[in-house]
Amino acid sequence: HALAAEPEPLLALLAGLLALAELDLAIVCLLLAPELDHELERALAYARDDFTRKRDDIGSIARLIAAGDAPTVDRVLLRFDDAAPLRRLGVVSLGQAADLPATMRSARLADRIVAFLRGHDTVDELVHGLVRIRELAPLRTDVVMNGELVQRIGRAFDDPRGAPRVLLAGPEGAGRGLVSEALFGERGRSSVRIDLPGIVAEGRVTERVGAALREAALRDAAAILDGGTAIDREAPRALIHAIADATAELAVPVVFAFSSHPSWLVEVVPALIELDVPPPTFRERLELWRRALAGVTVAADDLEIVASRYAFTAATIARAAHRAVQSARLRDPARPEVTLDDLGDSARLMFSHRL
């Protein structure tokens, strides 16, 4: 009855967001108790008849919850399996096995989960710098993209089967992430951008992928996984398994912003909806240049020339325009005027950056 109270308790919210079962919640409560009241640590030590250990082992947790019922002990122990939600999403971590029997490994609640249940808005230190949380979403009018394609993406996000899994395949900087953030914002949902190449470079891939997706789930936000060419072609096996495990029962939308349609993704993410996001057309590039150069003087003919000459994506256009404006302001701070030479120089510099 307590979990059904209004407003919804954080424990009930946690259960819904991470698809936790009743036994999972019992484990979470038992591990949370000494975090909230250190006096309960002594009570738990008394219950297990061992004051030498600071944390409960999974065997004693199972016995406490089961209250002597052997079949329930086995069911509790199964909730500590690698593939179960508590371990898969990093809600609970186990101590080193060493030479101990499996049931004597200690268990602790993840710091991020403790913070969530205390009502603290933090980011797991394991993914600091690897996730970007955007609470204030861009508007649909900020997106320069074919209107029909935007509508198709929106319909994919409204998948009636539940939290959708969508692949947006297209070149980097084509607006895949931006349109996702805008459309989810219209639906009242924030977004968490996840840097997959950064996670692979940092290591501890399984833990970090789980922590990043857990961050999205705890915020009831859409998870947008930004990939790269290397991730698309030859994703490390650890990353593939981590994505498969962490997205299996996640109750929030997951969007994969990749440059292609990797075969491994179709195999590990059931019911994947796949959409292509092509690079911007000439008209779209022209509009992107206009928006990026708003507020400075620039000839319309020059914009048409640079838009037709360089088939850049939105992100590249924004960087090139910024550099062109900088050049114009250095030349005349009072009345900056962007010339065709400024635009051409900044555009050519984008090619050198790619090299």
Side-chain angles (χ1 to χ4, degrees):
H1 295 294
L3 293 180
E6 293 292 341
E8 188 177 24
L10 290 172
L11 190 63
L13 185 59
L14 180 74
L17 294 174
L18 301 185
L20 301 182
E22 184 177 346
L23 285 178
D24 295 327
L25 288 181
I27 293 168
V28 168
C29 289
L30 191 59
L31 294 174
L32 178 65
E35 299 281 357
L36 301 180
D37 185 348
H38 294 310
E39 290 299 317
L40 290 175
E41 187 176 325
R42 294 172 58 83
L44 290 171
Y46 178 81
R48 65 175 176 260
D49 193 24
D50 188 346
F51 287 88
T52 62
R53 287 183 288 121
K54 292 292 184 182
R55 298 192 180 275
D56 281 309
D57 58 62
I58 62 176
S60 64
I61 291 171
R63 290 190 295 273
L64 280 170
I65 292 174
D69 182 65
T72 303
V73 168
D74 289 337
R75 289 196 296 122
V76 174
L77 291 175
L78 283 175
R79 305 313 297 173
F80 287 101
D81 186 80
D82 286 348
L86 289 179
R87 297 281 305 285
R88 191 177 66 242
L89 292 172
V91 177
V92 171
S93 60
L94 301 186
Q96 294 296 322
D99 294 327
L100 296 173
T103 56
M104 292 188 68
R105 296 177 66 182
S106 62
R108 70 184 298 270
L109 209 55
D111 292 341
R112 180 64 181 96
I113 300 299
V114 174
F116 174 83
L117 293 172
R118 287 180 178 272
H120 299 165
D121 185 14
T122 62
V123 175
D124 194 314
E125 62 182 24
L126 195 61
V127 290
H128 265 303
L130 298 172
V131 301
R132 180 165 58 85
I133 298 159
R134 187 155 188 172
E135 300 292 349
L136 185 61
L139 302 176
R140 187 188 289 225
T141 52
D142 296 328
V143 179
V144 178
M145 188 177 288
N146 179 274
E148 184 180 339
L149 175 58
V150 173
Q151 290 181 348
R152 288 207 306 272
I153 295 171
R155 287 194 289 269
F157 290 171
D158 293 329
D159 187 356
R161 291 172 292 182
R165 306 293 187 254
V166 180
L167 167 65
L168 298 182
E172 293 185 23
R176 301 160 302 174
L178 184 68
V179 70
S180 299
E181 290 175 329
L183 291 174
F184 283 123
E186 289 181 350
R187 289 152 177 77
R189 192 185 289 271
S190 59
S191 299
V192 174
R193 301 285 293 267
I194 300 171
D195 177 10
L196 288 183
I199 287 176
V200 171
E202 290 287 334
R204 296 173 65 183
V205 172
T206 301
E207 292 177 71
R208 286 194 163 92
V209 169
L213 287 168
R214 182 184 65 201
E215 199 63 49
L218 292 177
R219 297 170 183 275
D220 197 20
I224 303 175
L225 282 69
D226 293 312
T229 306
I231 295 294
D232 288 11
R233 286 198 314 265
E234 299 177 359
R237 185 174 297 274
L239 179 66
I240 296 173
H241 288 315
I243 289 174
D245 291 342
T247 61
E249 298 176 16
L250 207 62
V252 297
V254 180
V255 177
F256 300 91
F258 288 1
S259 60
S260 65
H261 295 257
S263 58
W264 61 265
L265 185 62
V266 180
E267 295 173 2
V268 301
V269 180
L272 183 69
I273 302 170
E274 301 181 62
L275 292 169
D276 286 308
V277 179
T281 63
F282 164 71
R283 289 298 172 192
E284 290 166 349
R285 294 197 301 272
L286 184 57
E287 178 60 22
L288 287 165
W289 278 106
R290 285 173 178 158
R291 293 189 183 195
L293 293 168
V296 297
T297 303
V298 58
D301 289 346
D302 291 348
L303 286 182
E304 291 195 9
I305 291 171
V306 75
S308 62
R309 186 175 295 171
Y310 301 102
F312 289 156
T313 59
T316 305
I317 288 172
R319 291 195 299 270
H322 176 71
R323 179 174 176 82
V325 171
Q326 283 183 320
S327 298
R329 285 179 174 157
L330 288 173
R331 188 170 54 249
D332 186 351
R335 299 180 61 186
E337 181 176 348
V338 175
T339 65
L340 183 59
D341 285 341
D342 294 328
L343 295 172
D345 290 344
S346 62
R348 285 187 289 274
L349 188 63
M350 297 303 104
F351 288 111
S352 67
H353 285 174
R354 291 180 186 178
L355 296 176

